[in-house]
Amino acid sequence: MMSTIVRRAALSAAVVAALTGVAACGSSDSGKDGGEKAAGKTATRVSPIAALRSAEKSTDKADSAKVRSTTSIGKLMSMTANGALTWGDGLKGNLTITYTGGQMAELMKKAGTQSMEARYLPDAYYAHMSDTYAQQAGGGKHWIKYSYDDLAKLGGASGSYMKDQIQNATPNQSVKMLLASGDVKKVGEETVSGVHTTHYSGTLNVAELAGKTSNLSAEQLSALKKQLSQAGVTTDTVDIWINDQDLLVKKTEKADTANGAMTNTSFYTDYGVKVTAEAPPAGDTKDFADMLKAGGTLSGGTGATS
């Protein structure tokens, strides 16, 4: 019984991490430079759209950054993510994900720890679980491998969408989202972490945005809209702060879901930092698809994907 609980806890928590850890990091914080160039650059910008297009290009070219973020979804979970990602040649990087509250934190306690290492590669995500997990449910293996193709199958239309979002999760995605929404306004100029920034805000229709920014078929998009409706997800309010080097400094995101309010705050620092990530040793890795075949069904998986 305990091994089944641990397996389900590990699977649930790790899937949540896969779907939210990177998705919640679609923004940034470059704290190195900043205020000296403030007055001149912001004065030359003719519109929020022009400013965001410049920021989208600059952040994309930056290639890598350190990440820190906090995310909460009602009573389901609250979590932090800290680490570094690179996106120049497919998404790669490492995050330490810690569940700080909610149902997922309780599940992780049963799996032996509330923190886990998340390793991202272009085709798969890996979660390093505790010794308790390895002994009771992992066959002595600590890492779970989640192929993005397997996650897509698990979540149906929403899985296909999340696969697309994870594989293309770069810090400039928040800017792309606002540009695609057609609803963006300049809020003002603010200091964030000691850096001069310009604050922009917009509200996104999630289903419409998915149609504009994903490669889903008409059938998949229709199914996704139905899933989003059932999950209580309609609009997403995004605020971003851009520094004077046209790099994202901060993002906040808010949306309603069937599990309660979702909030995220993300920061990036040290653009251009060296990031390396390799697949864990095969001998210490268990495949997610094999675990499901063995009966490791998800408790809370619906909440994760919604």
Side-chain angles (χ1 to χ4, degrees), residues 89-102:
D89 186 24
L91 180 70
K92 298 178 183 178
N94 301 277
L95 298 176
T96 297
I97 293 176
T98 302
Y99 290 91
T100 56

Side-chain angles (χ1 to χ4, degrees), residues 148-149 151-164 206-207 210-211 214-228:
Y148 296 139
D149 288 336
L151 288 177
K153 293 176 184 177
L154 172 70
S158 63
S160 298
Y161 180 57
M162 286 307 303
K163 173 190 173 183
D164 181 74
V206 179
S214 70
N215 296 316
L216 298 180
S217 66
E219 183 179 358
Q220 288 176 318
L221 185 59
S222 177
L224 174 62
K225 290 180 178 180
K226 182 177 180 180
Q227 287 181 323
L228 289 171

Side-chain angles (χ1 to χ4, degrees), residues 64-244:
S64 65
K66 292 183 179 180
V67 180
R68 70 182 189 272
S69 71
T70 59
T71 305
S72 65
I73 304 177
K75 295 182 179 180
L76 175 65
M77 67 153 198
S78 58
M79 60 177 272
T80 63
N82 293 278
L85 298 171
T86 181
W87 50 90
D89 186 24
L91 180 70
K92 298 178 183 178
N94 301 277
L95 298 176
T96 297
I97 293 176
T98 302
Y99 290 91
T100 56
Q103 298 168 16
M104 300 312 300
E106 293 302 314
L107 286 174
M108 284 296 283
K109 284 181 182 179
K110 294 177 181 178
T113 181
Q114 288 181 246
S115 294
M116 55 185 278
E117 179 184 348
R119 187 172 298 180
Y120 297 90
L121 294 175
D123 63 341
Y125 153 85
Y126 296 82
H128 186 274
M129 306 304 294
S130 67
D131 288 339
T132 298
Y133 159 78
Q135 294 170 4
Q136 297 188 8
K141 299 180 180 181
H142 293 81
W143 290 91
I144 308 176
K145 177 184 177 181
Y146 296 85
S147 161
Y148 296 139
D149 288 336
D150 289 337
L151 288 177
K153 293 176 184 177
L154 172 70
S158 63
S160 298
Y161 180 57
M162 286 307 303
K163 173 190 173 183
D164 181 74
Q165 295 300 296
I166 292 174
Q167 289 186 304
N168 295 284
T170 63
N172 62 337
Q173 286 302 308
S174 298
V175 183
K176 289 183 177 180
M177 287 166 61
L178 288 182
L179 286 170
S181 75
D183 173 31
V184 57
K185 61 180 182 294
K186 177 180 175 180
V187 177
E189 297 182 20
E190 303 170 15
T191 299
V192 177
S193 301
V195 177
H196 176 272
T197 69
T198 304
H199 177 186
Y200 299 92
S201 180
T203 299
L204 320 173
N205 182 300
V206 179
E208 289 183 3
L209 186 67
K212 294 178 181 179
T213 62
S214 70
N215 296 316
L216 298 180
S217 66
E219 183 179 358
Q220 288 176 318
L221 185 59
S222 177
L224 174 62
K225 290 180 178 180
K226 182 177 180 180
Q227 287 181 323
L228 289 171
S229 177
Q230 292 173 340
V233 179
T234 54
T235 60
D236 187 6
T237 300
V238 177
D239 286 73
I240 62 175
W241 288 257
I242 298 172
N243 72 7
D244 299 312

